[in-house]
Amino acid sequence: MENLIVISKSFLLLFLLVGLFVVCECEDEDDGQVSPVSPMVKEEQEALYAAIQGFVGNLWNGSDLYPDPCGWTPIQGVYCDLVDGFWHITVLNIGLVFDNSLQCRPDAKFTHHLFDLTHLRSVSFFNCFFSPGENPIRIPSSNWETLSNSLESLEFRSNGGLIGGIPTSIGCLKRLQSLVLLDNGLTGELPIELGNLVNLRQLVLAGNKFSGQVPPSLAGLTELLIMDLSRNNLSGPLVLSFGTSFTSLLKLDLSNNELQGKIPEGIGSLKNVTLLDLGRNKFSGGLIKSFQELASLKQMVVSNNPLGGGLMGVQWGNLQSLEILDLSNLGLTGMVPESMAEMKRLRYLGLNDNNLSGNLCPKLASLPCLDALYINGNNLTGKLEFSEGFYKRMGRRFRAWNNSKLCYQPQVISSSSPPPSHFPSGVKAC
């Protein structure tokens, strides 16, 4: 009888162990864990390891991805999806983003194995190529066609050692939705083949050394939501139709370049844009009337351009969503229009360092959200008809100095010695 009990307990224990093994082997994929029952093709696993070794060094043996790249304890930056019963690498992020991310060695390099991962949807490199003197690296010029049916996002961020131009073969990535080349050492002209990326939603090329003109072929990117070409050496004029095809665009940043010529009237077609930054270029020919069509605009910066002209040609009251307006250092002349006092959400108004003249509209002080008004460095004249409450609220965020014929009404300032802190600095009493 005792032997029967022992045998029964043994079978019960064996049954429990088998049941536990089955549960572990068939973990539901919705839990974010990967079942060893679904293998990875050996060639793809070997290609992944070889590609990673090119970036992090040959001493890395894949132990961080044990028991396989899609196991229970993957490192940050390697992610998989199940396709036709097999696990495939779909996301590869290289660079020290998290504590357990793949960190590049000083001699990091590309190998052809990266392009053997033909199910990749997203690839990014953060601070991976950081030595332009000792280890300059170029974006591979070939093999991108092997990823043309899968890749949706390609990013290179903060890679000072990444040099050279954008390869024309990037234009074959027909499924690409995001191209981010931010703060690298890239140079050369923007290839016209970028216009082939017709599914692109985000184009960020800021913080490089790109030169030449903005290619007209970018007009083909009709799905764009974000275009940021700032902080480069781009030059020449924009085509007059620039903007007419970007009807979905939310952000346009062309600042800190050497762009010149007249601002295209096509900018007025950006009905959904919320941020427009054209500052620090060489635009001329005055403010364009179509600015008044940008009803969704919240931030507009055109400062530091030899633009010239006046403010009267734009119906500023149409811009009811505008919160930030920087028109400083443009060589503007003429008067400040009363319609500027109709932008009820305006928080910042920069008109400083121009040649504006005449009296300042007192209605500006009644703007309910205004907390910064810079009119210094102009030729404004007459009395500032603002209340003491306005001066108190604004403090140092109201700047009116360097207007030699401008004065304030002393009766609105509380008499005290020394003058109160809200005294309009640099402005004489009338």
Side-chain angles (χ1 to χ4, degrees), residues 312-326:
M312 293 296 186
V314 179
Q315 293 296 322
W316 299 101
N318 291 0
L319 304 179
Q320 289 299 304
S321 298
L322 199 61
E323 298 176 6
I324 296 174
L325 177 58
D326 189 352

Side-chain angles (χ1 to χ4, degrees), residues 394-407:
M394 301 293 282
R396 295 184 178 181
R397 296 185 303 276
F398 175 65
R399 301 178 182 179
W401 54 77
N402 291 339
N403 288 279
S404 61
K405 298 182 180 180
L406 193 66
C407 63

